[in-house]
Amino acid sequence: MPKKFRVRTILFILSVWIFSSDVLFAQRLRYLKDGPDDKYFLAFYYGVGNASWNSSVKQYALYDTSGTRIVSGDFDFSMKNSIKNLGFDVSAQFNKIRLGMGICFEEFFLEKIRVNDVNYLFFDKFNFQKLFFQAEIPLKNFEKQLISLNLKTQAGYYSYSHLNHINFFGGDDASSAMMINAGLLLDYKLFNHSYIYLHPLAEFKYFKNSRKEAPSRIHHSVFSATFQFGMRFDLSRE
């Protein structure tokens, strides 16, 4: 994991801890409101999905895991792969929306790459670590408040680790790597303060390597569809 991202991760985890502590402290002092729509969630989830890559490379080269050059120069390529992810987030009620933050760990599985209408074997498995802020808007309640439909969006940045193709994202920590997603979240109240939920979402990731690597350029646009399911716990009073 790049050094720059390790520092960001430590600061982000500290922020999540402070945010969670503030919510719990407010609850203990009974500052949180009572009401069916006032929720303060701690959530854990697992997801599966698929991603599609559209990438552009200038004055660069890609190599297989044995070090053999696959292609070099200026070229575009595309890929498709499967995804697994695991994460958690926290959120607190602010007026009619819930704001929060979270961390997600994604595992990508690649099998082939398509360059200039030619397919090449490109086996790889690597991880993305995503740090994000989020907003959730309650839309509708059903069945006496047991079921609720919400719109949820997240935006932040990510890093990568465990790459076999070491030059796939360039070689400098100062790259731009951003993500944004949105989807509907449907949850069901199992017990007091405990919910299970389903969350299909669409996500876009963008990557651009550092200017320090000029004249080489690497741009990745990654579109993915993921289906997450998990459990979340309401820390407010009912």
Side-chain angles (χ1 to χ4, degrees), residues 15 44 71 109 121 125 131 135 159 189 212 220:
S15 299
F44 302 89
V71 63
F109 302 89
L121 294 179
K125 182 175 74 170
L131 307 180
S159 187
K189 186 175 182 179
K212 297 178 183 179
H220 297 306

Side-chain angles (χ1 to χ4, degrees), residues 19-20 23 39-43 89-94 98-101 134 136 152 232 235:
F19 183 86
S20 303
V23 171
K39 307 295 184 184
Y40 297 76
F41 283 123
L42 171 63
D89 58 63
V90 294
S91 60
Q93 194 81 29
F94 291 90
R98 303 179 190 119
L99 300 178
M101 56 186 68
Q134 66 179 25
E136 183 178 329
K152 186 173 182 178
R232 58 184 185 174
L235 306 179

